[in-house]
Amino acid sequence: MDIKKKIGSRIKALRLINKLTQEALAFKAGIDKTYVNEVENGKRNISIVNLEKIIVALDQEFNTFFDDLVFSKNSPTNGE
Protein backbone atom coordinates (compact mmCIF):
# COMPACT_ATOMS: atom_id res chain seq x y z
CA MET A 1 0.00 0.00 0.00
CA ASP A 2 1.45 3.37 -0.92
CA ILE A 3 1.66 6.32 1.45
CA LYS A 4 -1.30 8.16 -0.16
CA LYS A 5 -3.55 5.17 0.50
CA LYS A 6 -2.23 4.73 4.04
CA ILE A 7 -2.88 8.37 4.92
CA GLY A 8 -6.30 8.25 3.27
CA SER A 9 -7.19 5.09 5.15
CA ARG A 10 -6.14 6.63 8.46
CA ILE A 11 -8.13 9.79 7.81
CA LYS A 12 -11.22 7.78 6.92
CA ALA A 13 -10.90 5.57 10.01
CA LEU A 14 -10.59 8.59 12.32
CA ARG A 15 -13.42 10.39 10.53
CA LEU A 16 -15.72 7.40 11.08
CA ILE A 17 -14.67 7.09 14.73
CA ASN A 18 -15.60 10.76 15.13
CA LYS A 19 -18.92 10.11 13.35
CA LEU A 20 -18.22 12.76 10.72
CA THR A 21 -19.27 12.77 7.10
CA GLN A 22 -16.73 13.78 4.50
CA GLU A 23 -18.65 17.01 4.14
CA ALA A 24 -18.54 17.72 7.90
CA LEU A 25 -14.80 17.00 8.04
CA ALA A 26 -14.18 19.22 5.03
CA PHE A 27 -16.13 22.05 6.67
CA LYS A 28 -14.21 21.71 9.96
CA ALA A 29 -10.91 21.62 8.09
CA GLY A 30 -11.78 24.47 5.73
CA ILE A 31 -11.21 22.42 2.59
CA ASP A 32 -13.39 21.08 -0.22
CA LYS A 33 -15.35 17.86 0.35
CA THR A 34 -14.23 16.52 -3.04
CA TYR A 35 -10.64 16.93 -1.87
CA VAL A 36 -11.39 14.90 1.28
CA ASN A 37 -12.91 12.14 -0.85
CA GLU A 38 -9.91 12.03 -3.18
CA VAL A 39 -7.46 11.97 -0.24
CA GLU A 40 -9.37 9.18 1.53
CA ASN A 41 -9.31 7.13 -1.65
CA GLY A 42 -5.59 7.63 -2.21
CA LYS A 43 -6.15 9.59 -5.41
CA ARG A 44 -4.72 12.89 -4.19
CA ASN A 45 -1.24 13.74 -2.99
CA ILE A 46 -2.10 15.69 0.17
CA SER A 47 0.01 18.67 1.18
CA ILE A 48 1.43 18.97 4.68
CA VAL A 49 -0.68 22.11 5.21
CA ASN A 50 -3.93 20.32 4.34
CA LEU A 51 -2.90 17.24 6.32
CA GLU A 52 -2.44 19.48 9.35
CA LYS A 53 -5.90 21.02 8.80
CA ILE A 54 -7.47 17.56 8.67
CA ILE A 55 -5.57 16.27 11.70
CA VAL A 56 -6.65 19.32 13.73
CA ALA A 57 -10.26 18.92 12.51
CA LEU A 58 -10.13 15.30 13.71
CA ASP A 59 -8.92 16.49 17.15
CA GLN A 60 -5.66 14.58 16.74
CA GLU A 61 -1.97 15.32 17.14
CA PHE A 62 0.55 14.42 14.43
CA ASN A 63 2.16 11.76 16.63
CA THR A 64 -1.16 10.04 17.40
CA PHE A 65 -2.26 10.29 13.78
CA PHE A 66 0.83 8.37 12.65
CA ASP A 67 0.82 6.01 15.64
CA ASP A 68 -1.19 3.36 13.84
CA LEU A 69 -0.46 -0.10 12.47
CA VAL A 70 -1.09 1.07 8.91
CA PHE A 71 2.22 3.00 9.15
CA SER A 72 4.14 0.18 10.86
CA LYS A 73 7.00 -1.58 9.08
CA ASN A 74 5.39 -4.87 10.14
CA SER A 75 1.95 -3.92 8.83
CA PRO A 76 0.40 -6.55 6.56
CA THR A 77 -0.34 -3.71 4.13
CA ASN A 78 3.38 -3.03 3.69
CA GLY A 79 3.84 -5.91 1.28
CA GLU A 80 3.80 -3.50 -1.63
Side-chain angles (χ1 to χ4, degrees):
M1 182 183 295
D2 74 11
I3 191 64
K4 292 186 296 185
K5 289 184 180 181
K6 290 177 184 181
I7 288 174
S9 174
R10 181 68 170 144
I11 290 169
K12 183 176 183 176
L14 290 169
R15 178 177 61 77
L16 293 174
I17 288 168
N18 284 290
K19 297 179 174 53
L20 294 170
T21 63
Q22 288 180 342
E23 187 173 13
L25 175 58
F27 181 78
K28 280 184 76 173
I31 56 179
D32 188 82
K33 67 179 179 176
T34 304
Y35 184 83
V36 171
N37 178 275
E38 291 172 348
V39 168
E40 283 189 1
N41 289 300
K43 296 178 181 176
R44 185 66 90 108
N45 192 11
I46 190 169
S47 72
I48 293 296
V49 171
N50 285 336
L51 181 58
E52 179 182 33
K53 289 178 182 180
I54 289 173
I55 290 172
V56 168
L58 291 168
D59 298 320
Q60 296 290 306
E61 301 284 336
F62 268 86
N63 62 328
T64 57
F65 179 85
F66 287 106
D67 185 21
D68 187 76
L69 287 178
V70 75
F71 299 112
S72 170
K73 285 172 70 172
N74 299 322
S75 171
T77 59
N78 273 337
E80 302 173 57

